Every structure is written in structure tokens, then in C-alpha cells.
Amino acid sequence: MEKDINNYKKNKDYVICIDSDGCALDTMDVKHMRCFGPCLVHEWGLGEYRDDIIRLWRKINLLSRTRGINRFKGLAKMLVEINDNYTRVDGLDELIYWVQTTDELSDESLEEAYERTGCNCMKKALEWSRLSNDAINMVSDSRKAPFIGVEEALQLMKENADIVIMTASNGETIEKEWKINKLDPYVELLMSQESGTKEECMKLIEKCGYEKEHILMIGDAPADKEAADCVQALFFPILAYHESESWDEFIEKGMKHFIDGTFSGEYEKEREEAFLKNLDM
């Protein structure tokens, strides 16, 4: 599994980019409800508001059209809500500015920004992110399994397409999870939060020489579709809480449409409508 796009070369005429959390692996709920949300409560000392904070974290990151956004963008949204409705968050403006302007939404980039500014909110955000990573690593491997149908779909993809993991999550964690589930041999390239935003990653994939109609993004969040749209690539949605059925759909119809050149148009529109309706929870 290559991790540097500069060393990557296309092998086939088609490429399929796949999100990991909540799309290929059933890790979205456990990471957010047992790791990110509770770690936020701990780091900012919000115990008295714990239930409200966890519910709001779930709404923003799992049950709305902001599902799947980068962890630091999700954190910034949460802290705005906390500052407006619960308690003051010192240094919030500086953190928001970093989120909006940084070239890389990662721990390393945030650490550099903190060392440069001394902003306490940035320090807390960095500690929260690292604490969340530690919590995720402590989750049992049995809670990080692929959805039913994923390995069969990967086998089907591998016959005709290069396969790229494209995630907004920490790359080291995602690589470990795919290796644990013995899915890594199917993958040519891993692009994570350290590689840039998903839109930036899709632009880099396009530059590898694939035709637009030969690039497919599979994801469970609007950010995945936006990444595909930015290079006029195709998008196949995995519906939240209907993941196995979505993978069955891909195996039975989606892959054939992609390879046959009949994906765009009526079929893609049908899947997009189902995707957006499912996020209006």
C-alpha cells in the first residue's frame, strides 16, 4: 500500500476511491460516540453538559449533511455551539482561523500553529485529537470490522480498477485497521488527512492520467460527493445505517454500470436522491 502520491502510478484505466470510516469499515459510530465526543467533554471540562454535548456531536458528525467532515472542522462547529449556548471557549477565534486557512488539517499542522501562536484553544484541540487517537486504538479490533459485502466488492473492483483509500482520518490508524481486517492487499494507495483535503486528493488522482468517467468515489458523506464533483468524477453513496444493502447494490449493479460506461445519468441520479434523502434524518 503506497502512502505517497508522488510514488504512485496507475496500473489500470479505472480507479475507485473509497472512504473508510462508516463506508468500508463499521467504525463511524464507535469512534464518534466512544472516542471523539467523550474526549471533547473531558478535555474542555464539560461534564455537567455531557449528555447534551454527546447528542450534539452525534447530530453534527453522524446524522446530518455534515456527516464525515474532518475531525477538526467537526470540533470547531461543536466549540462554536458550546461557546454560544453553554460556556465560553477561550481562544476559539484563533482555532477557527486555523481550521479555515491551514493547508493541512492534521495534528502536525496544528502543533506547528500552537507553537507559533501559543493559543490555549489550539493546545486543547491538539490534546483532544491525540487523546481521541489513543481511545480509538484501545477500541477492540472486533469493533472495527468491514461491513458485509465490502471484501466481495473489493475483489470485484480489483479485476478492473486501481483501488485508493481516501479518508479524512489519521492515516496511521486507517492503515492499521485495513491491515487488521486483511483488506490492505487490495489497495494501491492510501490518501489520508495528512495528504490534504479530499478535494485536493481527488485532483491529485486525476493528474495520474485517469479519464474523468473512469474515476469513481465511494463514500457515505457529502464531503465524498463534493470531492468527486470537483473533478467531475462519478459518485456511489453508501447509505448510513443501510451500509450492507448499499454494498449489495454496488456489487449487483454499481460496478457493472461503472465499467460499462452507463453509470452517469439516470443511475447516478437515482443513487444521489436516495443518499440525500437518507441524510435528512
Side-chain angles (χ1 to χ4, degrees):
M1 185 192 299
E2 179 59 59
K3 294 181 281 294
D4 186 347
I5 185 68
N6 294 313
N7 297 328
Y8 173 75
K9 290 182 175 59
K10 80 182 188 82
N11 297 302
K12 296 174 181 169
D13 290 335
Y14 296 84
V15 62
I16 298 176
C17 303
I18 309 170
D19 180 49
S20 187
D21 290 331
C23 177
L25 303 187
D26 188 6
T27 51
M28 193 78 155
D29 278 18
V30 70
K31 287 183 179 181
H32 283 280
M33 300 306 290
R34 294 194 178 187
C35 303
F36 290 121
C39 287
L40 166 61
V41 171
H42 172 78
E43 188 60 42
W44 269 270
L46 300 169
E48 63 184 300
Y49 312 114
R50 186 183 192 284
D51 290 346
D52 285 354
I53 299 302
I54 297 299
R55 277 195 296 269
L56 184 57
W57 183 273
R58 185 169 190 257
K59 178 181 178 181
I60 288 175
N61 291 279
L62 297 176
L63 301 179
S64 70
R65 295 193 182 189
T66 51
R67 175 184 171 90
I69 60 174
N70 174 275
R71 66 171 66 181
F72 295 112
K73 289 184 178 181
L75 175 65
K77 285 181 176 292
M78 279 295 304
L79 291 177
V80 168
E81 292 287 338
I82 291 166
N83 186 73
D84 291 348
N85 298 296
Y86 296 95
T87 186
R88 177 178 170 78
V89 179
D90 292 330
L92 179 56
D93 288 344
E94 288 88 341
L95 178 66
I96 291 173
Y97 180 78
W98 173 78
V99 167
Q100 293 175 341
T101 60
T102 183
D103 292 330
E104 181 182 307
L105 288 162
S106 68
D107 287 2
E108 293 74 17
S109 174
L110 180 56
E111 184 173 19
E112 290 176 5
Y114 164 62
E115 290 176 351
R116 189 171 60 251
T117 64
C119 172
N120 189 54
C121 192
M122 288 183 177
K123 180 181 179 182
K124 283 183 171 293
L126 182 61
E127 291 173 347
W128 162 81
S129 182
R130 290 172 172 169
L131 184 63
S132 296
N133 287 340
D134 291 341
I136 289 168
N137 288 332
M138 291 178 65
V139 173
S140 168
D141 292 342
S142 65
R143 297 297 305 272
K144 301 174 183 178
F147 291 107
I148 295 171
V150 168
E151 185 161 15
E152 183 181 351
L154 288 170
Q155 291 169 351
L156 184 62
M157 295 176 207
K158 195 70 173 176
E159 296 175 9
N160 293 289
D162 294 326
I163 299 174
V164 176
I165 301 171
M166 190 171 290
T167 174
S169 297
N170 175 273
E172 183 179 347
T173 299
I174 296 300
E175 182 180 15
K176 178 182 176 182
E177 290 169 357
W178 280 65
K179 285 184 175 179
I180 286 170
N181 288 292
K182 299 179 180 178
L183 300 177
D184 56 303
Y186 296 103
V187 179
E188 275 76 33
L189 175 66
L190 167 61
M191 303 189 79
S192 61
Q193 67 179 26
E194 293 81 10
S195 308
T197 67
K198 287 186 177 179
E199 290 188 5
E200 290 168 343
C201 289
M202 286 297 286
K203 289 175 182 178
L204 292 172
I205 288 295
E206 182 189 25
K207 289 180 180 178
C208 291
Y210 300 101
E211 297 178 20
K212 294 181 187 299
E213 63 271 21
H214 289 181
I215 305 172
L216 176 67
M217 178 74 201
I218 300 179
D220 63 303
D224 300 316
K225 184 180 186 308
E226 291 166 6
D229 288 346
C230 82
V231 296
Q232 298 178 305
L234 304 172
F235 175 68
F236 182 90
I238 301 299
L239 306 187
Y241 305 107
H242 301 280
E243 294 89 355
S244 295
E245 298 97 315
S246 299
W247 283 109
D248 284 344
E249 171 70 24
F250 179 79
I251 292 166
E252 293 171 8
K253 298 180 182 179
M255 185 65 184
K256 187 176 187 301
H257 279 299
F258 179 45
I259 298 301
D260 288 352
T262 57
F263 192 97
S264 62
E266 184 178 342
Y267 183 72
E268 187 174 28
K269 182 180 179 182
E270 170 194 307
R271 301 317 305 159
E272 181 181 344
E273 288 175 352
F275 172 62
L276 294 176
K277 182 179 179 181
N278 190 61
L279 285 177
D280 290 330
M281 303 181 201

